[in-house]
């Protein structure tokens, strides 16, 4: 096996993981008026989506997935919030939940979407809980569920459904 075949996934996955971090910010910056139009608050979570794809397609067999998730969580905290630990913890717990569920679910589309849904909801609840503790989130849980979790789930799970098979074939090519 050639050297480039051994390094394709090892190079491309982390680069795209960090790139999705900046694409998240670019989408919120460019489409912020649309995505946060009152009363809705939709978060594009492409970074968590890329972590989900890594879990779903067993990247951790070939890469140190936990290291990359921690690194991207730290970069996410530094780049977006400036509060260290909130999104690092949210990314780690969401990926841990997705990995535990992945043991009992297969690689089918609906199983994968449920896996991503569970990770996304855990991620959003941890960020809400952290925001409530430090005083940044001053909305009720019902308002949070209706106006942030629901639209965010629709956007991100819908996007994951659209890109699932193309990304699956991309991962097959990289291996």
């Amino acid at each position: 096996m050639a050297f480039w075949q051994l390094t394709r996934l090892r190079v491309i996955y982390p680069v795209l993981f960090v790139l999705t971090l900046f694409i998240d910010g670019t989408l919120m910056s460019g489409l912020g008026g649309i995505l946060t139009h009152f009363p809705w608050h939709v978060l594009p979570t492409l970074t968590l989506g890329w972590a989900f794809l890594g879990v779903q397609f067993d990247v951790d067999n070939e890469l140190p997935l936990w290291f990359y998730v921690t690194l991207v969580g730290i970069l996410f905290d530094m780049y977006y919030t400036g509060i260290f630990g909130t999104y690092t913890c949210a990314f780690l717990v969401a990926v841990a939940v997705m990995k535990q569920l992945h043991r009992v679910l297969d690689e089918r589309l609906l199983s994968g979407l449920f896996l991503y849904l569970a990770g996304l909801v855990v991620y959003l609840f941890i960020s809400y809980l952290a925001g409530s503790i430090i005083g940044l989130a001053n909305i009720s849980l019902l308002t949070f569920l209706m106006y942030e979790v629901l639209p965010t789930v629709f956007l991100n799970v819908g996007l994951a459904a659209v890109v699932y098979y193309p990304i699956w074939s991309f991962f097959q090519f990289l291996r």
Side-chain angles (χ1 to χ4, degrees):
M1 190 176 279
F3 177 74
W4 65 272
Q5 290 174 322
L6 292 173
T7 60
R8 286 194 294 197
L9 187 62
R10 291 183 183 143
V11 172
I12 291 175
Y13 183 81
V15 167
L16 288 177
F17 205 4
V18 172
L19 186 64
T20 57
L21 170 80
F22 295 113
I23 292 173
D24 271 344
T26 303
L27 283 174
M28 279 307 288
S29 177
L31 300 174
I34 297 168
L35 295 175
T36 59
H37 184 67
F38 184 79
W40 312 107
H41 190 86
V42 184
L43 295 173
T45 57
L46 299 178
T47 309
L48 183 66
W50 191 250
F52 150 71
L53 292 167
V55 169
Q56 180 69 5
F57 301 130
D58 294 323
V59 168
D60 58 335
N61 294 338
E62 302 170 37
L63 295 171
L65 181 65
W66 292 107
F67 172 74
Y68 293 129
V69 169
T70 305
L71 178 69
V72 166
I74 290 169
L75 289 173
F76 203 93
D77 281 334
M78 287 175 20
Y79 187 68
Y80 293 118
T81 63
I83 304 167
F84 180 72
T86 303
Y87 287 100
T88 305
C89 179
F91 275 119
L92 288 171
V93 173
V95 169
V97 166
M98 288 189 288
K99 282 191 66 62
Q100 290 298 318
L101 285 174
H102 183 64
R103 292 181 181 177
V104 295
L105 298 173
D106 54 8
E107 284 190 8
R108 293 184 186 152
L109 176 64
L110 288 178
S111 298
L113 293 179
F114 175 73
L115 189 76
Y116 185 42
L117 173 69
L120 183 61
V121 168
V122 166
Y123 170 82
L124 291 171
F125 272 111
I126 288 175
S127 63
Y128 173 75
L129 182 67
S132 295
I133 290 171
I134 61 176
L136 290 178
N138 55 3
I139 59 173
S140 70
L141 184 61
L142 183 61
T143 305
F144 173 71
L145 287 172
M146 269 262 328
Y147 297 115
E148 185 166 343
V149 172
L150 205 57
T152 299
V153 163
F154 283 149
L155 173 72
N156 290 293
V157 173
L159 183 63
V162 169
V163 302
Y164 187 86
Y165 285 115
I167 297 291
W168 177 76
S169 62
F170 179 65
F171 273 85
Q172 296 302 318
F173 170 74
L174 291 178
R175 291 190 174 159

